[in-house]
Amino acid sequence: MPRTPLSPTCTASGARWKTVGREILLHLIDFLVTSYGHDPVITRLLNNTRIHIMPTMNPDGFEATKIPDCYYTRGRYNRNGEDLNRNFPDAFENNSIRIQPETQAVMDWIKNETFVLSANLHGGALVASYTFDNGNPVTGSLEGYSKSPDDDVFIHLARTYSSNHASMYKGTGCDSRQTFPEGITNGYSWYQLEGGMQDYNYVWGQCFEITLELSCCKYPPEDQLGKFWRDNKAALIEYIKQVHLGVKGQVTDKNGNPIPNAIVEAKGRSHVCPYRTNEQGEYFLLLLPGTYVINGYCTRI
């Protein structure tokens, strides 16, 4: 059964100010729980999908900001003064950073679960950004676009969110200097980021993750939070559904025993770290409709 975490990296909050991503995910939890058994779409989704929700990755930062404004940045950092979204091992550079306890906890979580699809929620812009955030000449960084082997899937995922959002799809930036066609962007094309959670999930976690920037103002007033939930509700549900794209199955031996750690990849889509089966021999490959050769066998989806 596909398992999809919605794992936002949240920042900070004051007395009457809240971080948008955290509030949206608390609303999402409530919506899923109260809709189960009443809404057939949500009931079917929950019956067939394992969903993990982490409203806050950085509780220190969330509590640190007492008098925030739209652009206040203290909430980016944990108690040790580290930005957790620059704190993951990087696939393209030796960033030699000291892994923070919060980062290590998330890395352990990713290692111990078979996550397939995820998103992390931020503020400061209005766009769906997809991997890679960093890169090298092989990924196309010299041309200003760092392309992953699954670039078509990532574009689809970003468009799915943007097109179901109340306004993200319009591509209007937060100021005249920043516009995003269709409301999406390749992370590297926007700005190079080293040590980000998005690339880490994809490279080492076998998990397709995108970054959702959901508000121009990082700390909007409390009375605006209901609208942010309404703007993102449909997009979140449609995004979660995408975990069922592609092919999934189990690798077993001749006696039907699961084979863990077997490489299962589509031809032409070799990953930095080869995608392998989990302890139950299960594999999940997010692919768009088409014909693929997977480990020598032709598959049409």
Side-chain angles (χ1 to χ4, degrees), residues 118-134:
S118 63
N120 64 84
L121 281 62
H122 294 247
L126 190 62
V127 67
S129 174
Y130 55 91
T131 204
F132 287 118
D133 278 328
N134 205 352

Side-chain angles (χ1 to χ4, degrees), residues 24-209:
I24 287 175
L25 291 183
L26 292 175
H27 277 286
L28 177 63
I29 293 170
D30 179 72
F31 175 71
L32 293 174
V33 171
T34 57
S35 298
Y36 185 78
H38 306 286
D39 183 321
V41 173
I42 299 304
T43 302
R44 184 167 58 252
L45 183 64
L46 290 176
N47 282 342
N48 292 280
T49 313
R50 180 175 295 183
I51 301 174
H52 295 245
I53 300 175
M54 180 175 65
T56 304
M57 180 179 169
N58 182 12
D60 291 343
F62 186 81
E63 297 296 336
T65 307
K66 303 302 181 184
I67 310 176
D69 59 35
C70 282
Y71 310 105
Y72 195 76
T73 58
R74 172 178 282 184
R76 294 185 67 96
Y77 308 104
N78 71 352
R79 187 176 296 274
N80 295 329
E82 296 292 337
D83 183 340
L84 300 180
N85 200 38
R86 307 292 187 275
N87 192 239
F88 287 84
D90 193 271
F92 302 101
E93 298 180 41
N94 182 11
N95 42 345
S96 300
I97 37 93
R98 180 180 179 183
I99 301 296
Q100 297 298 297
E102 301 92 333
T103 310
Q104 187 62 58
V106 171
M107 291 169 61
D108 292 342
W109 189 36
I110 293 168
K111 181 179 179 181
N112 293 327
E113 290 285 347
T114 307
F115 290 137
V116 179
L117 178 70
S118 63
N120 64 84
L121 281 62
H122 294 247
L126 190 62
V127 67
S129 174
Y130 55 91
T131 204
F132 287 118
D133 278 328
N134 205 352
N136 57 27
V138 174
T139 67
S141 62
L142 295 180
E143 288 74 43
Y145 187 111
S146 191
K147 185 175 182 179
S148 77
D150 298 293
D151 192 62
D152 57 340
V153 180
F154 275 111
I155 290 173
H156 166 79
L157 294 171
R159 282 177 176 161
T160 295
Y161 198 93
S162 177
S163 64
N164 285 281
H165 185 278
S167 59
M168 186 183 290
Y169 69 93
K170 298 177 182 178
T172 305
C174 295
D175 57 48
S176 59
R177 299 168 299 170
Q178 193 179 68
T179 59
F180 303 103
E182 299 184 84
I184 70 173
T185 185
N186 173 253
Y188 190 93
S189 293
W190 186 11
Y191 64 90
Q192 183 181 4
L193 190 161
E194 182 180 310
M197 181 175 172
Q198 176 172 274
D199 286 1
Y200 180 85
N201 264 280
Y202 178 59
V203 173
W204 282 287
Q206 302 189 186
C207 176
F208 286 53
E209 176 161 302

